[in-house]
Amino acid sequence: MRLSKTFIKTLREAPKDEVAKNGALLTRAGYINKEMAGVYDYLPLGLRVIENIKTIIREELNKIGCEEVLLSSLQNPEPWEKSGRFSDQEVDIWFKTELSSGGELGLAPTHEEPITEMMKKYISSYKDLPLYVYQFQTKFRNELRAKSGILRGREFLMKDLYSFHTSEEDLDAFYAEVEKAYSRIYERLGIGDCTYETFASGGIFAKYSHEYQTILPVGEDKVFYNTDKSIVLNEEVYNDEVLADLGAENEKFESTNAAEVGNIFKLKIKYSEPLGLKFIDENNKPQTVYMGCYGIGVSRVMGVIAEKFADDKGLVWPETVAPFKYYLVGIGDKGTEEAEKFYTGREEEVLFDDRNKRPGEKFADSELMGIPLRIVISDKTMDENAAEITDRKTGKTWRVDLSELFEKF
Ligand code: ATP
Ligand code: MG
């Protein structure tokens, strides 16, 4: 991508109404645009980050046999009424609207009910099971506070996976597969070493659920961890009874702030029973389908990564999610000509700063945007048949021969 051709612009100052670091930095660096509190647009650079995150999640879910779909945002109240969740008393974050011909609709805050209802058409026998179905979908939630940039949106992107099983044992086995897939996903996203699977409250159908919490000072949640971090608990389950349950009653725990980047939940028959999702077993008897649900906050993950790794110069993306691998700057006539040559054929990996600006400004923008490696080809480096590489994370600079640059980069 050529910076001279894009409409995005970096800003010197953070917008006044943006109090969250992730929101301010992503706006300044040209990744997102704020429409209003909790509602953001994703610009070319931001969309590339979102797509990279989606690709990692998609690859890992497809590996364990999941199928991708896209369900609707407009919601028929009927299935939600069966579970009791259309009521504003039960669920206080609904956005609702009306058809011009009369009748209420909801804007999907999540999809347990619609997918359970839909599966009544596709699941009838034990031979149809198990099924693992996921989507990347925009969710709408009328969140009371939306001051955390893209960490808490009123409109946000979620990956939600739903699994359907003939038995609790089958659900348990798949749940364990998802746990493994999730740890690979967070590892690949670059937050593996600061993201923990935590015990969270489960509700009436399961004793515990699990959340994935990334340690982050501005995270809205509090987690408690033992010395070797082998046990991490959410605040709401940090009590004597649960500690005894986990055999950790004599361990020392400390607490820290964290952001919930995902969660997994054994729903069992919570939705399949009230909605009547059944299958005929081997003995020709009707049975209720067992379900699990598994979320990842895609846009929140982007905000967490932005917030977590940023330094005083700007964003610092892990290579796996960065919008581009290289930020290319040419200086002087010969240097610029050589940079053009390098750019040709590498348009997908290189963000080419070919704007009519001073090198200092280009360097500052490369740091603000957080592209992993900056490549500078100048008349001076050309005299030595070389280019200068700078690592965004470490700040280290070194030279490579032009032949090596064209071969290996
Ligand atoms: P939270 O406690 O943060 O409100 P939640 O328990 O309501 O989260 P889920 O309904 O389980 O979250 O949604 C799945 C995932 O979607 C969460 O783990 C989180 O990463 C993300 N998420 C939830 N609400 C938002 C939001 N308002 N903005 C951005 N991401 C969100
Ligand atoms: Mg919530």
Side-chain angles (χ1 to χ4, degrees):
M1 183 167 125
R2 282 178 189 276
L3 271 179
S4 67
K5 294 274 190 291
T6 153
F7 68 89
I8 57 169
K9 284 194 171 59
T10 55
L11 309 171
R12 289 281 151 262
E13 300 284 328
K16 275 195 227 45
D17 65 336
E18 187 61 80
V19 289
K21 179 161 90 176
N22 71 85
L25 268 176
L26 289 166
T27 306
R28 282 188 54 211
Y31 284 71
I32 60 173
N33 173 58
K34 187 174 183 172
E35 289 282 347
M36 57 186 123
V39 181
Y40 291 87
D41 307 310
Y42 290 81
L43 307 183
L45 292 176
L47 186 58
R48 290 179 78 102
V49 174
I50 289 285
E51 290 303 325
N52 289 341
I53 295 170
K54 282 168 66 176
T55 299
I56 289 171
I57 297 172
R58 182 180 283 132
E59 284 175 4
E60 294 300 336
L61 293 186
N62 289 354
K63 259 187 223 164
I64 59 169
C66 303
E67 267 184 287
E68 187 170 350
V69 294
L70 181 58
L71 271 58
S72 70
S73 291
L74 292 178
Q75 298 293 305
N76 179 352
E78 257 173 52
W80 297 90
E81 273 154 3
K82 293 183 197 162
S83 70
R85 288 212 294 181
F86 201 63
S87 140
D88 294 317
Q89 278 72 51
E90 264 321 295
V91 173
D92 60 4
I93 47 75
W94 271 109
F95 280 110
K96 292 178 179 173
T97 185
E98 257 161 50
L99 286 168
S100 54
S101 52
E104 212 172 14
L105 290 185
L107 292 173
T110 178
H111 277 82
E112 283 82 6
E113 283 84 347
I115 200 160
T116 304
E117 187 68 27
M118 182 182 102
M119 283 304 175
K120 284 158 72 177
K121 293 184 198 157
Y122 302 99
I123 296 171
S124 54
S125 145
Y126 68 93
K127 291 177 194 150
D128 300 323
L129 294 168
L131 274 184
Y132 323 124
V133 181
Y134 73 99
Q135 62 176 345
F136 295 98
Q137 221 257 8
T138 300
K139 310 293 188 202
F140 299 91
R141 294 186 184 181
N142 202 343
E143 303 275 4
L144 192 60
R145 285 165 298 118
K147 291 186 185 161
S148 308
I150 58 170
L151 297 184
R152 183 169 298 284
R154 295 201 165 108
E155 174 180 333
F156 64 96
L157 189 64
M158 191 201 286
K159 182 283 296 171
D160 41 333
L161 162 66
Y162 305 88
S163 69
F164 303 86
H165 310 266
T166 53
S167 66
E168 191 165 350
E169 295 71 50
D170 196 55
L171 165 61
D172 289 347
F174 181 69
Y175 191 89
E177 285 303 304
V178 176
E179 286 179 303
K180 284 187 244 160
Y182 268 39
S183 70
R184 289 194 296 268
I185 288 167
Y186 294 116
E187 195 62 46
R188 288 181 65 187
L189 290 171
I191 50 174
D193 59 357
C194 50
T195 300
Y196 296 92
E197 183 181 24
T198 69
F199 287 92
S201 62
I204 42 169
F205 285 89
K207 195 155 188 192
Y208 302 111
S209 68
H210 291 102
E211 289 185 355
Y212 288 81
Q213 293 275 0
T214 306
I215 308 297
L216 191 72
V218 300
E220 289 179 21
D221 296 340
K222 193 171 233 180
V223 298
F224 290 79
Y225 56 90
N226 62 353
T227 313
D228 64 359
K229 296 205 176 87
S230 58
I231 301 177
V232 190
L233 300 116
N234 280 20
E235 192 169 22
E236 80 269 7
V237 295
Y238 181 67
N239 59 52
D240 291 341
E241 195 193 318
V242 172
L243 289 181
D245 222 18
L246 301 174
E249 58 267 63
N250 297 320
E251 292 197 53
K252 249 191 89 200
F253 279 80
E254 284 182 61
S255 75
T256 182
N257 282 61
E260 181 192 325
V261 288
N263 64 16
I264 55 179
F265 210 101
K266 290 179 186 174
L267 295 171
K268 301 185 187 175
I269 55 167
K270 184 172 180 173
Y271 297 103
S272 46
E273 176 143 280
L275 274 76
L277 176 61
K278 291 185 186 301
F279 68 98
I280 303 293
D281 71 10
E282 281 106 320
N283 305 317
N284 243 339
K285 283 212 335 239
Q287 304 277 2
T288 300
V289 172
Y290 275 79
M291 288 175 60
C293 70
Y294 319 82
I296 292 182
V298 176
S299 45
R300 181 179 290 179
V301 161
M302 175 175 165
V304 165
I305 295 172
E307 184 109 18
K308 177 113 198 151
F309 299 120
D311 62 17
D312 53 348
K313 298 190 180 93
L315 297 162
V316 184
W317 296 110
E319 214 183 292
T320 50
V321 300
F324 290 93
K325 263 181 164 164
Y326 310 117
Y327 192 102
L328 177 65
V329 179
I331 304 174
D333 291 343
K334 274 197 296 174
T336 303
E337 198 180 306
E338 196 69 10
E340 282 284 350
K341 269 193 220 155
F342 181 75
Y343 178 65
T344 309
R346 294 182 180 82
E347 294 83 356
E348 270 305 300
E349 298 169 300
V350 176
L351 183 57
F352 186 15
D353 195 346
D354 59 341
R355 296 172 302 177
N356 188 16
K357 284 188 185 289
R358 285 179 290 110
E361 273 181 84
K362 296 185 178 185
F363 294 170
D365 276 348
S366 81
E367 286 165 340
L368 178 59
M369 288 181 189
I371 312 299
L373 292 176
R374 181 172 72 213
I375 302 173
V376 177
I377 310 176
S378 67
D379 290 355
K380 227 160 70 194
T381 67
M382 287 286 290
D383 287 344
E384 291 171 40
N385 241 331
E388 200 175 82
I389 315 289
T390 305
D391 184 307
R392 175 64 183 91
K393 196 156 89 193
T394 62
K396 270 203 204 127
T397 294
W398 66 95
R399 291 207 168 183
V400 294
D401 283 342
L402 285 176
S403 58
E404 190 187 334
L405 182 77
F406 277 83
E407 230 170 79
K408 294 197 181 149
F409 284 65

